[in-house]
Amino acid sequence: MPEPTKKDETENESAPPPPEKTTPQEGGNEKGKDVVIREMTSSSDEDDTSVSTPPADGMSKPAERKDSVWSLGEGAPEESEKRDDTQRSTLFIEKPQSGTVSVGGNITFIAKVEAKDLLRKPNVKWFKGKWMDLASKAGKHLQLKESFERHTKIHTFEMQIIKAKENYAGNYRCEVSYKDKFDSCSFDLEVTESSQAAPSIDIRSAFKRREIKPQEEEPEVDVWELLKNANPSEYEKIAFQYGITDLRGMLKRLKRMRREVKKSAAFAKGLDPAYQVDKGGKVRFMVELADPTVELKWYKNGQEIRPSAKYIFEHKGNQRILFINNCTMTDDARYYVTAGDEKCSTELFVRDPPILVTKGLEDTSTYVGERVELSCEVSEDDANVKWFRNGVELSNDPKSRYRIKVEGKKHTLIIEEAAKNDTATYSVMTTGGQSEAKLSVDLRPLKISLALEDQTVRLGQEIHLKCEISENVEGKWYKNGQLIEASDRVKLYHKGRIHRFIIPVSAVDDEGEYMFVPDAYNINIPCKVHIVDPPKLHLDGLGENNTVTVVAGNKLRLEIPISGEPPPKVFWSRGDKMVTDSGRIRAETYPDSSCLVIDAAERDDSGPFRITLKNEAGEDTALINIKVVDVPDPPQAPNVTEVGEDWCIMTWEPPANDGGSPILGYFIERKKKQSSRWMRLNFELCKETTFEPKKMIEGVAYEVRVFAVNAIGMSKPSMPSKSFVPLAVTSPPTLLAVDTVTDTTVTMKWRPPDQIGAAGLDGYVVEYCFEGTDEWIVANPELTDKTKFTISGLPTGSKILVRVKAVNAAGESEPKYYPQPILVKEVIEPPKIRLPRHLKQTYTRRVGETVNLVIPFQGKPRAKVSWEKNGSPIDKNEINIRNTENDTIIFIRKAERGHSGEYNMKVEVENLVDKATIDIQIVDRPGPPEVVTIEDVWGENVNLSWKPPKDDGNAAITGYTIQKADKKSMEWFTVIEHYHRTSATINELVIGNEYYFRIFAENMCGLSEDATMTKESALIAKDGKVYKYPVYDDFDFSERPLFTQPLVNTFAVAGYNATLNCSVRGNPKPKITWMKNKVLIMNDPRYRMFSNQGVCTLEIRKPSPYDGGTYSCRAVNELGEAEVECKLEVRGGLSFFRLLMDGVPPHIIDSYMREVQGDKTEGK
């Protein structure tokens, strides 16, 4: 019984990541030579082999690894690589040369590329054989180096092999590429034997691809490297090709094997990392105990193993041995043994013997349509077998025309109906062999059972062609050598060996020679089809009773389509007189038509004409009536009966003579009196003798005329009408409003009409009437041309209604009414500041920008405006203030930080006052951060800390920008942008370099002009050191509620939704409640409350002045509570004047206004 093969132990947890590309900014600024060495750290262990597994979960942890057998996968170079390298060399100035090294020795291969014409470093790759990229093999036995000589501008690339082994020998290739340039060079390495070299055992021998043809020797293949570099869709193919049955489990178990084994106190000698045995063989596990009295237990996949005929236990002194007999694939598992609290584990791999082809495929010949079976036999039942056609794998898909049948050891490929294109080489492949055979599919000899027959078919009848051949094959139909495709008119049928060609309704063009050609046969079946047709006249285009109308004086050319096969003879006659082919009335004959021609038709030409067709198949005749007509006479001159703004109404009488054809309608034209250009007004015939022209220019004189139209044509135009001019009144005045009201007068103002017209605007009439009467009194006996008028002499306390009319030459317009009665009494309008919404919050501008604020207000009479800044009067030399009756403007041409502050605006009307406050903030770029300190340096990382800048530019600091610079070049590169904390860790620094760091502060205006740099530099040491992780106590996140953003006093507009916002934090999450005037808000549809990520919002739907008051928000958790409050003022309520106009008693209005004024004073 063969002994199991022991697998070598590997130490790395997972495969190393691929080498990172050198960043030009970090590695390309050093003078002299810049060398980048891509080398993996390795342990002192000198084991010869290891297995690379694909990294789990896409991650790869750097760990110590042993030398991997990177020499696997070598093969002969491509044909293109065997060409003379000097013919395509465009980049190499020195190529690597072939060399020889003894086992255990070192050798270096050098390639040089000139960088004179290159803008950046070229891309260089080293390969072994055809496809193995050696970049992933860099480590203990292989190093790849790159350097650049600045004086000579030459890139040097080195591949150094350390402690060479015999399997390192083979063909190597170096490729260099830059944009569209490419160069390649091949060289050989020969490894000679050394007396000190010792054979090694490779665990991958269990996973090598089994040889299909034993007589051929194939090179060893690194299956795990192949899997790692392959597309995941190819995993199953590779697993079958190299005899891997449990790919996923194999990868996971090998990953566990590579973990570092710790020393054990209970085991003097533990299990080997892995064992291997053939199926049916016997394996032996042995451990040696330090204390033989310790109880020992064996486990398989976590289940304890009990003694049996399969599992045998032995004790020899301190040795404990487990034998597993007759190993099967179920024994392929993880085993471990426990001694007290100690455990020692291993992996057992059971190899399945290769499947052999015991009986191969045989060459086969058959005919098209026959069933084909290709069979072979293998060494085991139900083995995994793959079928190929010309090297392409065949699937056992139900939709595939290939069917694979398995009967024990016999495997059969079945083709139900063979086709010509099934001729190919078919092969079968197992894990231990293959076989192939050629399949030839030919056509059977073809015989014509029923040939096509010549046919004579009458036009319009069916054409039916039928033939029968000896084979059931497709075919094509041809007419006069042109391929015929099936369509709605042409029907092609194929059933078994019979082919049919059918045209249900034949046409003249269907006559010709037809032919059927079977597919894949060089044979055709011809026939002829002849079409016959009696003569026929086609009079579909003529009118009722075959009447043709022609205008007198015109030429008539009447073309009558004819048909018939053979072509018929044509005869024209008028009464007993034949029409010849010459003269004013003549006949012309063509292959598919006949024409009656009458030059300069006269009324005497009216009457019947006979046409007759004759041929050998029959004859056809018809009578055609010719009618000569003319256009009607022109109508009488039209009359214009009515004129409007841009329209008129015109009438006329029909013409005396209709020209022998009824009048169909009329066309109307118009023109300006001073113009000679007439314009058509209707493009559809007017059936009536009345028409309304529109879209005329007001104030311009026009003329109109009429045309009569019958079936023959259009008459001459009528005489023009008398000229007329369109005119119209204006539209009503617009925007009628009250300007001022005194005890005896009311001043009204308005805007001119939207439409004035060509008659112009002479002036306005202002009328009024007292409320309750219908008598309108003219306020201005004479027209006023102004848009403002004062109605005087009115009794105090009365109410009047007012309307205004516009007047021009066409008359008065529709009146414009003021919508409500006007009280004749002077009214004091209290001051009211209409502060824009964007000024209710802090108004922010940058230094140097212009500040231009317009604040509207209202108040009568003679409102007085005053400004203060931070409680002091404004310096008008720095800030310009301009006041009007309706607004005030504050203007700063070039803002400075000193202009920031609180601006107070006050509007006074007699004893009434309204105030508003505007907060203006002028911001600038911040200063640099304070001292920047290097807190710690470990590995490739540097920890920095700093203090915020003293000058924040009058705005909050929004972040920091961190830059690094190599001490050698002092070129700065940005590492982190928009960073919010005052400490950061900089990663991925280059080992061996020394760095300085500087930091910019940033606010809404941008980065600070200067940056603060570290006083000391950070050296990234080449020798790594162990980083001790600090020990942190668990952080207590419990916190009582705290409002990080309080509520702000807010002004709301009546009728528009208002929101109150604040933010709170606390742990556990606090409960939020809202109150108005210390009363809890609950189940009120006018309020909506939100809380999201600590931001609390209260929405007040369409507030009224009664919704003003003090609102508070309370947050409570088990650690405490917090509360904030603000005042809400709802502006835009009812004014004194509006209440007075609505008829509210004055004493109630007075009480309401005092209450509103008191609320405002209390709020301020």
Side-chain angles (χ1 to χ4, degrees), residues 1043 1047 1060 1062 1071-1084 1086-1089 1096-1100 1107-1116 1121-1128:
F1043 282 93
L1047 293 172
L1060 302 177
C1062 62
K1071 179 181 179 181
I1072 306 299
T1073 55
W1074 288 89
M1075 294 175 287
K1076 176 187 175 184
N1077 298 330
K1078 303 301 182 180
V1079 177
L1080 187 65
I1081 299 174
M1082 291 182 63
N1083 301 326
D1084 193 335
R1086 294 181 304 149
Y1087 298 92
R1088 296 177 63 190
M1089 288 167 273
C1096 305
T1097 302
L1098 174 66
E1099 180 182 4
I1100 307 172
D1107 289 318
T1110 301
Y1111 287 80
S1112 56
C1113 179
R1114 178 181 296 170
V1116 180
E1121 67 179 37
E1123 184 175 347
V1124 292
E1125 66 179 22
C1126 71
K1127 293 184 178 180
L1128 173 67

Side-chain angles (χ1 to χ4, degrees), residues 72-127:
L72 298 176
E74 57 188 349
E78 300 283 352
E79 289 294 327
S80 58
E81 298 172 0
K82 296 182 179 180
R83 301 174 184 169
D84 186 3
D85 294 326
T86 60
Q87 295 179 0
R88 62 172 181 175
S89 178
T90 57
L91 296 174
F92 282 122
I93 60 173
E94 181 178 338
K95 304 176 182 177
Q97 303 297 324
S98 300
T100 303
V101 65
S102 59
V103 174
N106 301 337
I107 188 170
T108 302
F109 298 91
I110 299 176
K112 294 185 178 181
V113 177
E114 186 175 10
K116 183 177 181 182
D117 299 326
L118 307 183
L119 300 179
R120 57 178 176 80
K121 186 188 71 173
N123 186 21
V124 173
K125 293 184 178 180
W126 298 83
F127 296 87

Side-chain angles (χ1 to χ4, degrees), residues 524-811:
N524 61 78
I525 308 172
C527 73
K528 293 182 180 180
V529 176
H530 180 57
I531 306 296
V532 296
D533 185 25
K536 185 177 180 181
L537 289 167
H538 301 277
L539 305 177
D540 298 338
L542 300 182
E544 186 178 358
N545 298 324
N546 295 338
T547 300
V548 178
T549 303
V550 60
V551 179
N554 288 351
K555 179 180 179 179
L556 172 64
R557 183 179 180 87
L558 178 59
E559 183 175 359
I560 305 298
I562 63 175
S563 62
E565 187 67 29
K569 292 182 179 181
V570 184
F571 304 95
W572 285 88
S573 63
R574 185 182 182 187
D576 297 333
K577 186 178 178 180
M578 299 296 296
V579 178
T580 63
D581 57 357
S582 61
R584 190 177 66 85
I585 300 176
R586 61 187 182 274
E588 298 177 357
T589 302
Y590 300 95
D592 56 352
S593 65
S594 180
C595 293
L596 176 64
V597 181
I598 302 176
D599 294 330
E602 301 173 356
R603 286 191 176 270
D604 295 338
D605 295 333
S606 299
F609 286 76
R610 180 177 293 276
I611 179 173
T612 303
L613 303 180
K614 293 182 179 181
N615 72 354
E616 60 185 19
E619 69 175 53
D620 193 11
T621 183
L623 282 176
I624 300 174
N625 296 315
I626 304 298
K627 182 180 180 181
V628 181
V629 295
D630 204 352
V631 297
D633 292 340
Q636 297 294 324
N639 296 322
V640 178
T641 60
E642 190 176 350
V643 176
E645 176 184 0
D646 62 347
W647 53 271
C648 72
I649 296 177
M650 55 182 289
T651 61
W652 62 91
E653 295 294 332
N657 184 7
D658 63 1
S661 180
I663 299 297
L664 301 177
Y666 301 90
F667 285 117
I668 297 91
E669 292 184 348
R670 79 172 183 217
K671 76 175 183 67
K672 297 177 183 177
K673 184 177 180 181
Q674 306 299 329
S675 174
S676 60
R677 179 176 175 270
W678 290 90
M679 183 176 68
R680 178 71 58 85
L681 298 182
N682 62 319
F683 294 96
E684 293 184 0
L685 287 175
C686 176
K687 306 295 183 180
E688 306 295 333
T689 56
T690 301
F691 189 75
E692 182 180 354
K694 297 181 180 180
K695 297 183 180 180
M696 293 184 285
I697 301 175
E698 188 179 359
V700 177
Y702 286 91
E703 294 177 350
V704 292
R705 67 183 184 183
V706 181
F707 295 83
V709 180
N710 63 6
I712 309 307
M714 186 170 59
S715 70
K716 294 181 180 180
S718 67
M719 293 299 294
S721 68
K722 294 181 181 180
S723 62
F724 60 93
V725 179
L727 287 175
V729 298
T730 68
S731 63
T734 59
L735 302 179
L736 179 61
V738 177
D739 188 26
T740 59
V741 178
T742 67
D743 290 340
T744 59
T745 64
V746 173
T747 302
M748 306 298 295
K749 59 182 179 179
W750 62 89
R751 298 293 298 166
D754 292 334
Q755 298 178 358
I756 295 178
L761 179 63
D762 296 336
Y764 301 93
V765 174
V766 180
E767 298 177 344
Y768 70 94
C769 75
F770 291 99
E771 185 180 26
T773 66
D774 296 332
E775 181 184 358
W776 288 94
I777 304 171
V778 178
N780 56 330
E782 296 182 358
L783 296 178
T784 178
D785 57 352
K786 297 181 179 178
T787 58
K788 188 174 183 180
F789 186 80
T790 301
I791 304 173
S792 59
L794 300 174
T796 304
S798 62
K799 291 185 179 182
I800 63 172
L801 299 174
V802 181
R803 70 182 183 184
V804 181
K805 299 178 182 178
V807 181
N808 68 357

